[in-house]
Amino acid sequence: MRRAVVHVVLLLLFGASPVAAQWRFAAPAAATSWFAVLDSLRLTGQGALPLTRTTGAPSTPLGRTLTESKYDILHFVPLYYPSASQGALADAVEDAAGTAAPRADRAQFVVGALRRALPDPRDRRPLVELAAAVRRAQPAGVAPAQLAAWQEAWNRRFNVGLARFLAAERLDAGLVLVAPALGAEGRVFSGVPADRADNIIAVGTGAGPNDPDAPLFAAVRELCFPLVSRVADATPQFRRAARNAQDAARRSSIAAVRCGADLMDLLLPAEAASYRAHWRAVAAAPASSFDTLYPPDALLDKPIGAALRRSLSLP
């Protein structure tokens, strides 16, 4: 089901020739509204980086309910239905609360994913209230001129330089969803391995005008995440040393930031200093060293570095 639904969705987004597609920056109302609602509920997560822009404990019953780990899938919902309008996404989430077939065929994947993650119908009841909030949302979007500027900057500064890495990781093309309500922790959904365009990333807009390239450097870090996750899963010492799932996620999150820096050093050295400056700004400590804010991990750094060099066919 996933292959049929998501592949068709990406063809509709990118056109009939996914081979010619590149990474496209967009700010659809569905994703913007969804993440704005999660931000209003303060679903910030407990990892190394905030999942949403607003920090602090949830202040509503719905927010407190949705902070339970069983609801972590909610942070990825727009990536599972990228062609949805705001209303269609709300419909799909509302449909997932029940048991009937979704109203829209394209919603089958996201509805199925939500039902598998929340098999108990009682756990799906909050989805009805969440869907209503998404339907009502009227968040500020991203200006088309700003999206065009980020797209031009990506094409000019990153696309060719990262091509070897993107090809090796089968991440040649995809969609970058830019949502102002997202925090520094982005999202990545790499899809069918045989389809190099079946990939979706979601990133925030950064802290403001002093960090104009924030979505670009956030996207680089997300592009590293599949490699980091692969290495973490294949490193028994790391799996044994991680105290719990939260600790493993925190360490992987930091490792992905560091992987992005290594990638810049290897392929785009002219961007390396700016990449590190962005992540120092994320930590609100621009005067601190990058390694202090994102410390090396004795169990992950070396295998990630080795995997990165293998991916680039470097000695």
Side-chain angles (χ1 to χ4, degrees):
M1 179 170 63
R2 190 210 177 285
R3 290 174 183 266
V5 175
V6 177
H7 182 68
V8 169
V9 164
L10 286 168
L11 284 176
L12 291 170
L13 282 165
F14 299 142
S17 179
V19 174
Q22 297 179 350
W23 283 96
R24 309 286 183 90
F25 284 70
T32 302
S33 299
W34 180 266
F35 289 121
V37 169
L38 297 195
D39 182 58
S40 72
L41 296 171
R42 299 183 182 176
L43 303 189
T44 57
Q46 300 178 358
L49 301 171
L51 286 164
T52 56
R53 179 180 52 195
T54 304
T55 58
S59 58
T60 66
L62 179 62
R64 287 190 287 273
T65 295
L66 298 182
T67 56
E68 297 179 39
S69 60
K70 70 179 75 173
Y71 293 104
D72 285 351
I73 189 175
L74 298 180
H75 293 286
F76 292 85
V77 162
L79 283 69
Y80 296 158
Y81 193 5
S83 69
S85 66
Q86 183 174 341
L89 187 64
D91 287 347
V93 174
E94 186 176 71
D95 289 346
T99 57
R103 281 166 271 189
D105 287 343
R106 292 180 186 173
Q108 290 179 22
F109 178 66
V110 68
V111 169
L114 285 167
R115 288 176 179 171
R116 285 191 296 274
L118 301 167
D120 189 332
R122 292 171 296 182
D123 291 333
R124 299 201 300 270
R125 289 173 188 164
L127 298 182
V128 176
E129 184 178 353
L130 182 59
V134 171
R135 198 171 276 113
R136 295 191 304 267
Q138 295 180 316
V142 179
Q146 180 62 80
L147 277 174
W150 285 324
Q151 184 72 67
E152 187 278 332
W154 180 268
N155 293 346
R156 174 172 47 86
R157 293 162 48 193
F158 294 86
N159 195 55
V160 174
L162 293 178
R164 186 159 38 133
F165 172 76
L166 297 177
E169 292 295 312
R170 309 193 73 82
L171 296 169
D172 303 67
L175 180 67
V176 180
L177 302 174
V178 183
L182 279 175
E185 186 70 64
R187 321 286 192 269
V188 59
F189 180 45
S190 51
V192 180
D195 187 345
R196 294 174 176 272
D198 188 15
N199 308 289
I200 305 176
I201 285 172
V203 295
T205 54
N210 292 329
D211 196 10
D213 291 333
L216 309 179
F217 293 127
V220 169
R221 184 248 189 189
E222 294 308 311
L223 289 168
C224 269
F225 230 115
L227 182 148
V228 169
S229 298
R230 191 167 67 243
V231 170
D233 290 343
T235 305
Q237 301 93 321
F238 171 74
R239 296 202 309 271
R240 288 195 296 267
R243 295 189 298 274
N244 48 44
Q246 181 181 332
D247 182 51
R250 180 189 63 80
R251 292 169 66 176
S252 295
S253 178
I254 292 172
V257 176
R258 294 183 59 82
C259 176
D262 291 342
L263 184 59
M264 295 292 94
D265 289 341
L266 290 169
L267 293 185
L268 288 171
E271 301 287 350
S274 296
Y275 176 91
R276 288 178 170 85
H278 161 73
W279 289 102
R280 290 200 303 271
V282 164
S288 299
S289 75
F290 179 82
D291 284 346
T292 297
L293 298 170
Y294 304 98
D297 191 308
L299 296 178
L300 284 181
D301 272 24
K302 285 186 177 180
I304 287 173
L308 188 57
R309 299 184 78 84
R310 283 196 303 272
S311 184
L312 299 173
S313 299
L314 295 174

